[in-house]
Amino acid sequence: MKVNVFSHLILVIIIFNSCEKEYDLTTSVFIEDEVHEGLPKYSEWGYNTFGIYYGRQPFISNSQVVPFTVYVQENTTNFIFQGTFGYSSSAVLKIKFPGMTFNRYQDMMTLDGSKVNFKDAGARVTFTVNDQEQYLDIINGEMEFKRLQRLFVDDEMEQLILSGTFSFSILDDEIPISFSFGRFDFGISELNFFLL
């Protein structure tokens, strides 16, 4: 029986590479949606991505900044989305929910399967593009936390995977504009959850 040295060499390289590399839980994995061009496909795998249309322009996560941060301060939970607007401008979307509080990121599991109405919750939203902050006058909107999952590594809880959808409409200079088809899929841990 002949031994194929080349195939054994390939197998050794694959095994060596898989031992050397561990999956980085903070990495962003952007897989474009086939229907909503420019947005990431909806996922529940902790891909650390988000995307939403503002009018017809995508606002999406990028690999240059931490895409999502949560901080709780003065009885208010703040969701901070950082990324790129219109393919080139740096942008930050801040959504504040008064009355929503968590003492640690693990407590966010209570959001699993829930929906939050922006108007009913008294949400305050700002959108900053290239350091120009704009307060958004919300007409309506909703954030749905479709699935929250605990991620364990070596029997230790490493992070919470937060996945869902969101959309809202605003009044800008008396013109209604939509933030539509929003989706998010993030790992939440002590690295991006803060209690101030």
Side-chain angles (χ1 to χ4, degrees):
M1 183 169 123
K2 264 186 167 177
V3 175
N4 185 340
V5 176
F6 181 73
S7 63
H8 280 27
L9 179 62
I10 296 294
L11 181 61
V12 168
I13 290 170
I14 290 170
I15 290 171
F16 179 74
N17 280 341
S18 66
C19 292
E20 285 291 309
K21 259 187 192 177
E22 283 191 31
Y23 177 67
D24 182 1
L25 297 175
T26 62
T27 300
S28 293
V29 178
F30 191 98
I31 301 170
E32 188 170 1
D33 192 294
E34 301 87 17
V35 177
H36 300 104
E37 189 177 309
L39 299 184
K41 185 175 187 171
Y42 177 80
S43 60
E44 295 178 346
W45 294 97
Y47 283 167
N48 293 312
T49 57
F50 74 85
I52 192 166
Y53 289 130
Y54 176 17
R56 294 184 177 181
Q57 295 291 314
F59 169 48
I60 59 172
S61 54
N62 67 41
S63 59
Q64 305 303 312
V65 294
V66 175
F68 188 66
T69 304
V70 176
Y71 74 90
V72 179
Q73 182 179 29
E74 298 175 3
N75 202 35
T76 299
T77 295
N78 300 268
F79 295 128
I80 313 299
F81 297 83
Q82 296 184 84
T84 304
F85 174 62
Y87 300 105
S88 61
S89 301
S90 64
V92 178
L93 177 68
K94 295 180 184 176
I95 304 173
K96 299 181 176 211
F97 290 113
M100 180 188 291
T101 60
F102 306 99
N103 292 321
R104 53 195 190 118
Y105 78 89
Q106 294 92 333
D107 296 340
M108 293 180 71
M109 272 302 294
T110 58
L111 293 173
D112 189 29
S114 69
K115 293 180 183 179
V116 179
N117 180 290
F118 280 39
K119 290 292 273 186
D120 293 346
R124 296 186 304 270
V125 182
T126 59
F127 190 52
T128 305
V129 179
N130 293 333
D131 298 323
Q132 298 295 313
E133 185 177 56
Q134 176 187 12
Y135 172 80
L136 303 181
D137 184 11
I138 300 293
I139 299 170
N140 59 44
E142 183 177 84
M143 182 173 279
E144 181 176 4
F145 300 93
K146 288 191 172 190
R147 186 169 185 207
L148 276 76
Q149 310 170 70
R150 294 178 180 97
L151 177 65
F152 290 85
V153 176
D154 297 330
D155 295 327
E156 297 279 331
M157 185 171 166
E158 191 70 25
Q159 64 179 231
L160 189 63
I161 297 174
L162 179 71
S163 305
T165 59
F166 67 116
S167 62
F168 57 95
S169 298
I170 65 168
L171 203 56
D172 184 14
D173 207 14
E174 299 186 16
I175 299 172
I177 301 174
S178 290
F179 280 76
S180 57
F181 302 107
R183 67 282 313 270
F184 54 89
D185 181 21
F186 301 114
I188 306 294
S189 70
E190 291 163 352
L191 298 175
N192 59 346
F193 177 89
F194 303 94
L195 187 59
L196 305 179

